[in-house]
């Protein structure tokens, strides 16, 4: 009796190949953005291409399961691997899609949406921001912020403005922010100000930060504003940055 070899599912083979290729493309996109080889938005385009490849690998894995079930072809292990690789590459984009629908499409957030802190126009600050001066968000954007991020509030410290100014600088250094301009509070100028930049954790996009330090009766009020340079939806990054700063500053103030 002649034994014929089982047919290997080409769909499973391609699912595995594209699953591996998709991950490689995403990693390449992250690398070129982090290392500054290309502008950040171009790195994001490469990442998007890798995600699209992973989506195709997922579809091919499903098609391979159908092919294997109907024809008895071999390749189940390759199909499983392609599916797992695709899912691993699609988890973060899926989470970001959920965030995009759950959170408002804004990219500029502050602890004072009524009297929004303004960014410094000093030469050093403008050079660090490439001449960019984030505009004050419109009323609609500020209303969306209030609804979505009602927990964002100024930090009130039982300290002098001068002590608070020094403490804010320490917290900014702890958070690895780069201070690009600062003006301490004084009797003449009143409020103090610190401008800084921060990088996102994965793609290393640069975001802009300004901190306002205002003296009050036996207290000092600290407001912070964080704005993204790229995109119209920050997926909650700026609000999370403000929460991290407020928590760190409150803890440092109690210490």
């Amino acid at each position: 009796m002649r034994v014929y070899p089982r047919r290997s599912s080409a769909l499973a083979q391609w699912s595995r190949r594209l699953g591996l290729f998709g991950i490689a493309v995403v990693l390449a996109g992250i690398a070129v953005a982090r290392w500054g080889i290309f502008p950040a938005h171009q790195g994001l385009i490469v990442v998007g291409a890798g995600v699209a490849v992973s989506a195709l690998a997922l579809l091919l894995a499903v098609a391979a399961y159908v092919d294997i079930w109907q024809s008895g072809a071999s390749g189940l292990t390759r199909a499983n691997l392609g599916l797992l690789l695709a899912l691993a590459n699609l988890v973060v984009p899926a989470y970001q899609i959920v965030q995009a629908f759950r959170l408002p499409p804004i990219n500029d957030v502050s602890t004072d949406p009524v009297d929004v802190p303004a960014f410094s126009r000093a030469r050093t600050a403008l050079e660090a921001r490439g001449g960019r001066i984030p505009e004050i968000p419109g009323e609609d954007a500020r209303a969306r912020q209030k609804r979505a991020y009602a927990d964002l509030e100024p930090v009130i410290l039982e300290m002098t403005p001068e002590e608070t100014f020094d403490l804010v600088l320490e917290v900014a250094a702890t958070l690895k922010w780069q201070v690009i301009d600062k003006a301490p509070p004084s009797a003449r100028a009143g409020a103090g100000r610190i401008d800084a930049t921060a990088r996102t954790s994965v793609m290393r996009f640069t975001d802009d930060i300004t901190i306002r330090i205002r003296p009050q009766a036996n207290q000092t009020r600290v407001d912070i504003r964080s704005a993204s340079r790229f995109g119209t939806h920050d997926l909650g990054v700026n609000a999370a940055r403000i929460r991290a700063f407020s928590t760190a500053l409150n803890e440092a103030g109690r210490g």
Side-chain angles (χ1 to χ4, degrees):
M1 178 178 178
R2 180 177 296 179
V3 177
Y4 295 95
R6 292 175 62 190
R7 179 179 65 85
S8 178
S9 173
L11 292 171
Q13 180 72 5
W14 277 105
S15 174
R16 185 188 66 173
R17 289 174 178 172
L18 291 179
L20 289 168
F21 184 63
I23 289 179
V25 172
V26 167
L27 292 176
I30 293 174
V32 298
R34 288 179 66 94
W35 296 339
I37 300 174
F38 296 120
H41 69 277
Q42 293 183 6
L44 190 60
I45 292 173
V46 175
V47 170
V51 170
V53 170
S54 292
L56 179 58
L58 177 63
L59 294 176
L60 289 178
V62 173
Y65 289 139
V66 175
D67 178 36
I68 292 169
W69 173 264
Q70 292 180 343
S71 68
S74 63
L76 181 61
T77 300
R78 288 189 289 272
N80 288 337
L81 182 58
L83 179 69
L84 292 175
L85 291 170
L87 290 176
N89 219 22
L90 293 172
V91 167
V92 173
Y95 171 76
Q96 291 177 333
I97 290 173
V98 172
Q99 291 289 84
F101 281 99
R102 187 177 70 85
L103 299 174
I106 57 178
N107 66 351
D108 192 329
V109 180
S110 76
T111 56
D112 189 349
V114 176
D115 183 14
V116 180
F119 282 90
S120 171
R121 293 175 179 266
R123 180 178 57 83
T124 55
L126 288 173
E127 289 177 353
R129 293 197 301 264
R132 180 178 181 271
I133 304 175
E135 297 181 357
I136 299 296
E139 292 184 7
D140 184 54
R142 284 182 276 174
R144 289 198 296 266
Q145 179 200 310
K146 288 181 182 179
R147 291 192 297 268
Y149 306 125
D151 62 307
L152 298 184
E153 297 179 343
V155 177
I156 308 296
L157 297 177
E158 303 289 336
M159 304 173 67
T160 67
E162 293 77 16
E163 292 171 335
T164 301
F165 181 81
D166 293 336
L167 188 62
V168 168
L169 287 174
E170 292 178 10
V171 171
T174 300
L175 296 173
K176 301 187 186 312
W177 295 351
Q178 181 181 359
V179 174
I180 59 175
D181 187 48
K182 58 184 177 180
S186 65
R188 179 180 178 182
R193 185 198 68 253
I194 297 171
D195 277 48
T197 60
R199 297 284 193 124
T200 57
S201 57
V202 179
M203 297 293 291
R204 306 297 291 170
F205 293 140
T206 300
D207 294 340
D208 296 307
I209 301 164
T210 187
I211 303 167
R212 185 176 61 202
I213 302 165
R214 279 181 171 172
Q216 294 184 333
N218 301 318
Q219 295 176 325
T220 301
R221 169 173 170 156
V222 181
D223 282 292
I224 176 173
R225 177 183 173 193
S226 181
S228 301
R229 294 186 186 181
F230 179 76
T232 58
H233 199 316
D234 65 6
L235 303 177
V237 169
N238 288 304
R241 179 178 293 119
I242 290 175
R243 292 190 189 102
F245 170 81
S246 298
T247 299
L249 186 60
N250 275 312
E251 291 178 351
R254 288 193 297 267

